[in-house]
């Protein structure tokens, strides 16, 4: 997702919290080293940027999308090496039976047709922000909204095989939204054991890699993240570690100081959550090398597996 709009403003400059970063870095060092080796082998372009401050604003008009096999909309028919279960598919017996996971596919493919609705301001505790945005896209027009739904379907399949009950905040089945406050409410009402919001960034070319966004401690208005800060960090660290291991991707070279972890208090989806929740930016859609991964069905399956294994590790303790 681009750092523009409701949950996408640039992180404000802040002094580094050395102790927290040291702990996070230590948790990720073994996997991150392997990720960097593979990353360099693929020809990393380097060039760290300025923490997403030059992000590209998403277009308000529908992009042209090529009709390759990887670009087929996710649905009940198999795509690549994943099978997308229907929303009503029952959870199987398994180690996660009884656990509820809410998957939040960032944005909605139809948001661009409803600018008035998604520009409406909602209260996120710390301030007011737009309901939602259109999201970003690759330079070739593969949209973030399409990416997030595809990965969400793959992730659901993997989690249901482990016995989890999986719910979506949206499945391309509504004309726009939901707003960021409603997305948080869906996880809260489901009493989810874990919530993951899936995104892809829209930063400058040369800015590469993934990062997991954790909730900061916030107690303002309707926002009270105190009870979820610690479990959310545990969830985020486990997802980041498994994402490195499974995908071979490196932590972001433009935010997170190489840890793959970023803490923010300006995201309504985190501020208003009462259950453990994180965001994951799977890569930068505006960088050609990251985009080549994000548009690959085989890589998206790895991304889903990396996220899934982190969730399973968190829920099993």
């Amino acid at each position: 997702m681009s750092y523009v709009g409701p949950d996408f403003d640039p992180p404000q400059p802040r002094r580094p919290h050395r102790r927290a970063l040291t702990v996070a870095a230590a948790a990720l060092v073994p996997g991150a080293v392997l990720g960097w080796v593979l990353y360099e082998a693929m020809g990393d372009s380097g060039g760290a940027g300025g923490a997403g401050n030059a992000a590209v604003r998403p277009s308000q008009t529908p992009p042209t999308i090529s009709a390759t096999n990887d670009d087929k909309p996710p649905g009940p028919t198999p795509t690549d090496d994943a099978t997308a279960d229907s929303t009503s598919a029952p959870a199987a017996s398994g180690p996660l039976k009884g656990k509820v996971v809410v998957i939040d596919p960032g944005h909605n493919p139809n948001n661009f047709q409803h600018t008035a609705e998604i520009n409406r301001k909602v209260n996120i505790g710390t301030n007011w922000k737009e309901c939602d945005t259109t999201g970003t896209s690759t330079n070739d027009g593969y949209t973030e909204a399409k990416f997030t739904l595809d990965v969400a379907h793959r992730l659901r399949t993997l989690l249901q095989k482990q016995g989890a009950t999986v719910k979506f905040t949206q499945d391309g089945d509504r004309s726009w939204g939901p707003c960021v406050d409603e997305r948080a409410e869906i996880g809260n009402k489901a009493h989810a054991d874990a919530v993951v919001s899936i995104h892809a960034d829209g930063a400058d070319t040369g800015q590469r890699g993934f990062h997991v966004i954790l909730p900061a401690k916030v107690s303002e208005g309707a926002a009270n993240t105190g009870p979820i800060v610690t479990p959310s960090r545990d969830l985020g660290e486990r997802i980041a570690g498994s994402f490195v291991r499974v995908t071979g991707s490196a932590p972001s070279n433009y935010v997170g100081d190489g840890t793959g972890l970023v803490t923010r208090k300006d995201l309504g989806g985190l501020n208003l959550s009462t259950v453990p929740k994180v965001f994951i930016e799977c890569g930068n859609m505006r960088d050609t090398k990251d985009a080549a991964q994000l548009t690959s069905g085989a890589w998206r399956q790895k991304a889903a597996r990396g996220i899934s294994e982190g969730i399973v590790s968190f829920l099993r303790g």
Side-chain angles (χ1 to χ4, degrees):
M1 66 182 174
S2 171
Y3 287 119
V4 181
D7 277 0
F8 322 117
D9 292 336
Q12 296 300 311
R14 61 188 185 280
R15 296 181 179 178
H17 302 285
R18 297 187 180 276
R19 291 181 61 188
L21 288 174
T22 300
V23 172
L28 290 176
V29 164
V33 170
L34 173 59
W36 275 115
V37 171
L38 295 173
Y39 198 60
E40 292 293 333
M42 292 186 290
D44 178 24
S45 60
N53 288 328
V56 180
R57 181 176 293 275
S59 170
Q60 294 295 324
T61 59
T64 301
I65 301 174
S66 58
T68 63
N69 184 54
D70 282 352
D71 287 336
K72 290 179 180 177
T77 56
T79 59
D80 304 304
D81 51 353
T83 300
D85 292 345
S86 66
T87 303
S88 60
S93 296
L96 298 188
K97 190 170 182 62
K99 299 293 186 180
V100 176
V101 178
V102 171
I103 302 173
D104 177 30
H107 313 289
N108 181 312
N110 302 310
N111 274 356
F112 70 89
Q113 296 177 324
H114 297 272
T115 55
E117 290 88 347
I118 68 172
N119 286 332
R120 177 176 64 85
K121 296 293 182 70
V122 298
N123 192 323
I124 66 165
T126 54
N127 62 307
W128 291 76
K129 299 183 79 171
E130 289 81 3
C131 157
D132 201 0
T133 69
T134 60
T136 188
S137 69
T138 67
N139 295 330
D140 291 332
Y142 181 70
T143 65
E144 180 184 2
K146 189 172 184 181
F147 169 82
T148 64
L149 276 177
D150 183 89
V151 174
H153 286 152
R154 297 168 187 271
L155 177 57
R156 177 173 61 192
T157 298
L158 294 169
L159 291 172
Q160 286 180 333
K161 287 180 178 178
Q162 295 286 322
T165 297
V166 181
K167 300 182 179 182
F168 279 16
T169 58
Q170 62 93 14
D171 197 5
D173 52 356
R174 51 189 292 168
S175 57
W176 57 274
C179 296
V180 294
D181 54 346
E182 184 183 351
R183 289 173 185 265
E185 186 179 12
I186 290 170
N188 296 344
K189 286 186 174 180
H191 302 288
D193 296 287
V195 183
V196 177
S197 189
I198 302 171
H199 292 270
D201 212 350
D204 286 344
T205 186
Q207 297 181 330
R208 297 193 60 192
F210 78 93
H211 61 279
V212 177
I213 305 175
L214 313 173
K217 190 170 183 178
V218 174
S219 181
E220 296 182 42
N224 180 20
T225 61
I228 69 164
V229 166
T230 298
S232 294
R233 172 167 285 275
D234 185 21
L235 171 63
E237 289 178 349
R238 290 173 188 262
I239 289 176
S242 61
F243 199 83
V244 168
R245 185 182 65 254
V246 175
T247 67
S249 295
S252 170
N253 65 6
Y254 58 100
V255 291
D257 296 326
T259 66
L261 300 173
V262 178
T263 300
R264 292 174 60 177
K265 64 178 182 179
D266 62 325
L267 304 183
L270 295 180
N271 286 2
L272 301 176
S273 182
T274 59
V275 294
K277 182 175 182 178
V278 300
F279 282 42
I280 181 166
E281 298 277 6
C282 296
N284 177 19
M285 300 197 97
R286 295 293 183 171
D287 179 84
T288 55
K289 292 180 180 179
D290 269 12
Q293 295 180 332
L294 297 168
T295 55
S296 162
W299 188 89
R300 292 196 299 271
Q301 183 66 19
K302 290 181 181 179
R305 186 160 66 88
I307 298 169
S308 171
E309 291 185 6
I311 294 172
V312 172
S313 174
F314 170 73
L315 293 180
R316 298 191 70 179

